[in-house]
Amino acid sequence: MTYALLLLNLFWEFLKIGVFAVGGGMATLPFLYDLGEKTGWYTSAQVLDMLAVSESTPGPIGINMATYVGYTVGGFPGAVLATLGTILPGVILVLILAKFLARHHDNRYINAAFYGLRPASTALIAAAGVGVLGESLFNVSLWRETGNIADLFVWGPIILALVLAVLTNIKPTKNIHPVIYIAGSAVVGIVFKLGGA
Amino acid sequence: MKDYLQLFWAFIKVGALTFGGGYAMLPILQRDIVEKHGWVNDEEVMDYYAMAQCLPGIIMVNTSVFIGRHRKGTAGGIVAGLASALPSLVIITVIAMFLTAFAEYPIVQNAFAGIRACVVVLIVNAVVKLWKSAMVDWKSIVIIFLPVFALSAFTEASPILLVVAAAIAGIVITVLADSHKKGGEAA
């Protein structure tokens, strides 16, 4: 595929994400998983790294993810096009519908659609979460190879995740900003060589 | 021209100072756009924010377009929307350049192995939070959440298809519930 075609394709894919990812930043995650699997542009482990960076920097997660994926796939032009693709449908719709929505945003049918969209969006993110869990805390391929159940668990990251799960849900540590947890986890990863590198 | 530059700069700040998007932008909007510039009032900000959530795309950008449009028409909307996205574009591109160059270093690999464990927890926490606001009754769990989850986790079903189906299902469930209610009253 030529570079121009790749960029065009990238823009088109993110335009679709801009239309269908309803419900805020995290909602783009399942779409990005799907896109990576479909195109082979990046791996699902890379999606996690991108998400970590997106959570630790200013700006909406949805835009940060789009920029990061765009850059990974097509350099700086890719970053610009993926970001534009993500925001363009919303920008155009706001400009066209601003007057209409001011009168009708409590519309019965819009509310009814969201009655279906919110649980669906949660389900999509949860499904992506299961995928993420499988890849970062478990080693399914090694387990299949050796048949030894102990090889399934990657203990270092599992213990870290359990500690974080507790800290992010009890007072007073639950109010600490995620960026601190991400930075702390990076330090733990380096000190205990969690990547095995 | 000066007005557009002012608008541009104000929303650059919104994009640069908002961590995580969504709700996080509101305090900055209230301080800068409402109190300092007086372009819109608190109530209008909340209305625009509510409407921005009903449209596809990024809530922060959509809200910015609403306010920019309110201030300077269509051109103002475009300026505000693009300005709010620009800081992310610049910051993430720089980080991505840096991390791509150093991805093979052991220290970066170990750091990200730790970070991934943390991201898993953050995603689970986000799901729990969303669950509380999205699951209003048993129908939304049984008819929408469980099928979408199963199809997304265990099949190759496209998320686009699932989102469209869920919106239609939401409308059908509501309309059926309404007509049932009316039928009950008539009888």
Side-chain angles (χ1 to χ4, degrees):
Chain A
M1 203 181 338
T2 66
Y3 185 55
L5 211 61
L6 175 75
L7 288 181
L8 202 67
N9 203 346
L10 186 70
F11 180 68
W12 173 241
E13 290 297 337
F14 275 88
L15 210 55
K16 284 197 279 187
I17 293 176
V19 172
F20 291 105
V22 189
M26 208 60 108
T28 58
L29 184 67
F31 288 87
L32 294 176
Y33 255 98
D34 192 54
L35 184 62
E37 272 174 20
K38 212 172 64 183
T39 59
W41 285 341
Y42 47 87
T43 64
S44 11
Q46 274 177 296
V47 177
L48 281 191
D49 300 348
M50 296 180 201
L51 186 60
V53 171
S54 301
E55 293 240 28
S56 325
T57 47
I61 293 169
I63 298 189
N64 292 350
M65 294 289 279
T67 303
Y68 207 137
V69 171
Y71 182 85
T72 307
V73 177
F76 184 64
V80 174
L81 286 173
T83 305
L84 276 180
T86 307
I87 66 174
L88 214 54
V91 171
I92 293 171
L93 282 170
V94 170
L95 292 174
I96 295 174
L97 296 176
K99 276 194 187 137
F100 172 82
L101 276 171
R103 288 193 303 268
H104 298 285
H105 77 276
D106 251 337
N107 183 286
R108 216 173 118 235
Y109 291 100
I110 294 179
N111 288 339
F114 270 91
Y115 174 85
L117 284 172
R118 286 199 192 100
S121 175
T122 310
L124 287 175
I125 299 169
V130 171
V132 167
L133 210 72
E135 268 153 43
S136 46
L137 306 186
F138 301 94
N139 193 338
V140 178
S141 55
L142 183 67
W143 172 50
R144 284 211 178 119
E145 214 173 279
T146 62
N148 185 351
I149 189 80
D151 286 335
L152 176 62
F153 304 99
V154 189
W155 286 111
I158 288 179
I159 293 167
L160 176 60
L162 288 175
V163 171
L164 289 167
V166 173
L167 287 179
T168 52
N169 284 294
I170 57 161
K171 280 175 187 167
T173 46
K174 69 187 263 190
N175 295 324
I176 295 174
H177 197 280
V179 70
I180 306 290
Y181 284 114
I182 290 173
S185 304
V187 173
V188 172
I190 293 168
V191 171
F192 293 96
K193 293 197 174 13
L194 290 186
Chain B
M1 194 62 208
K2 192 171 156 272
D3 285 346
Y4 289 112
L5 279 176
Q6 214 180 20
L7 203 57
F8 186 75
W9 179 240
F11 281 95
I12 288 269
K13 269 166 77 184
V14 171
L17 297 177
T18 300
F19 254 88
Y23 264 111
M25 81 182 295
L26 291 176
I28 296 152
L29 284 181
Q30 270 148 2
R31 200 188 57 211
D32 272 28
I33 309 297
V34 178
E35 281 165 29
K36 198 173 130 206
H37 293 294
W39 291 334
V40 287
N41 60 37
D42 273 326
E43 210 171 283
E44 283 163 332
V45 166
M46 289 317 292
D47 277 355
Y48 286 146
Y49 180 77
M51 288 188 271
Q53 286 178 303
C54 300
L55 292 171
I58 309 295
I59 296 167
M60 187 190 84
V61 176
N62 292 350
T63 310
S64 303
V65 178
F66 269 117
I67 297 172
R69 185 190 163 280
H70 180 105
R71 167 99 178 109
K72 291 298 281 178
T74 301
I78 293 171
V79 166
L82 290 181
S84 70
L86 199 58
S88 285
L89 186 66
V90 174
I91 294 167
I92 296 290
T93 300
V94 171
I95 293 177
M97 272 160 71
F98 181 81
L99 284 179
T100 312
F102 295 100
E104 300 304 319
Y105 282 57
I107 191 164
V108 176
Q109 289 187 357
N110 284 330
F112 272 102
I115 287 172
R116 272 177 221 142
C118 181
V119 173
V120 169
V121 175
L122 294 178
I123 295 176
V124 171
N125 287 345
V127 170
V128 171
K129 218 191 232 167
L130 285 169
W131 172 276
K132 285 178 192 157
S133 68
M135 308 307 157
V136 287
D137 53 29
W138 64 269
K139 273 186 284 186
S140 55
I141 297 175
V142 176
I143 304 177
I144 296 166
F145 180 87
L146 290 176
V148 172
F149 177 80
L151 287 170
S152 178
F154 305 116
T155 74
E156 301 286 298
S158 141
I160 294 178
L161 208 73
L162 296 172
V163 163
V164 173
I168 296 171
I171 293 171
V172 171
I173 293 170
T174 308
V175 170
L176 284 180
D178 284 1
S179 66
H180 185 75
K181 223 185 284 167
K182 272 182 201 145
E185 280 159 14

